[in-house]
Amino acid sequence: MTQQEPSGPMLSQGVMSTGEGMRIFPDVEACIDCGGCVVACKRTWDREVQNQRIDITTMAEGTAGPQGENASKTDRLVAGENPGETSLPMQCYHCENAPCVSVCPTNALQKEDDGFVTVTEDLCVGCQYCLSACPFGAPQFPDSNDGTAQIFGTGGIMDKCTGCRPRQEAGKGPACAEECATNAILVGSAGEIADELEKRGSGSFFNDEAMEIIFGADDAQHFQDNE
Ligand code: SF4
Ligand code: SF4
């Protein structure tokens, strides 16, 4: 798989490149909690109602910050000041140092050479270890009775964001990113995402430990360089 050619399909403003080595990462300051990404994902992949591969986490809902609602500055969050309503699209970020892959006892989860973190359904025994290990709430268990870890083998099959790999192989961006009206879901290399956030004046939201999980220590440096 190669990087997106300029002559390929039109990509949204938040999709800088697709394919090998790409990352998915949120611009928290752009997200307005409209749910467009959630709907686009469900529509594209025909997910059941209870199976949401993207979850929008909203903090301080209805609270206006200095820039109004849904216009939070991450530097205010980091400083412990009132940022106003802040929404964060949570999905699988296809982490470089994926804790879910490390804990999976059956190798159902793999970090592939092209960067995608994949699930082999036939190997998943439903232990839900990955659910405990993922800091971002990405693993879903739509067929589990109560959504929590149960006796070994009864938690259902794990499901999560695939990064829209088939769309990316066709040169398109992930459906969530293409649908987002505010370009709050960024897709590209770590350097491209860091540059885009810097251009927008947006922070990266996550702490250093989380950034090293998602991007690896070397690529996380792109974001520190921008601070
Ligand atoms: S730890 Fe979570 S976000 Fe990271 S690759 Fe695994 S499921 Fe995806
Ligand atoms: S639930 Fe499935 S994918 Fe998750 S750790 Fe257990 S075997 Fe691996």
Side-chain angles (χ1 to χ4, degrees), residues 1-120:
M1 198 164 19
T2 57
Q3 294 285 308
Q4 170 66 35
E5 297 294 329
S7 58
M10 186 82 86
L11 298 171
S12 81
Q13 215 185 327
V15 182
M16 279 77 68
S17 64
T18 57
E20 190 163 338
M22 72 81 216
R23 290 300 154 82
I24 299 176
F25 194 71
D27 177 355
V28 172
E29 295 178 29
C31 179
I32 57 168
D33 189 24
C34 69
C37 54
V38 178
V39 173
C41 178
K42 281 183 186 282
R43 187 185 62 222
T44 302
W45 299 111
D46 200 19
R47 292 292 88 196
E48 308 88 338
V49 172
Q50 74 276 20
N51 189 9
Q52 203 157 304
R53 287 175 168 175
I54 304 177
D55 190 31
I56 312 293
T57 298
T58 299
M59 293 156 276
E61 193 158 3
T63 306
Q67 287 102 3
E69 289 180 26
N70 286 317
S72 56
K73 296 296 288 181
T74 47
D75 52 3
R76 293 189 67 84
L77 267 176
V78 171
E81 297 166 4
N82 170 25
E85 182 171 307
T86 304
S87 295
L88 168 63
M90 304 274 275
Q91 64 199 99
C92 180
Y93 301 133
H94 299 269
C95 302
E96 181 64 27
N97 298 315
C100 61
V101 173
S102 305
V103 300
C104 179
T106 66
N107 294 325
L109 283 161
Q110 291 290 332
K111 176 76 176 168
E112 307 287 353
D113 289 343
D114 59 10
F116 289 86
V117 173
T118 59
V119 190
T120 304

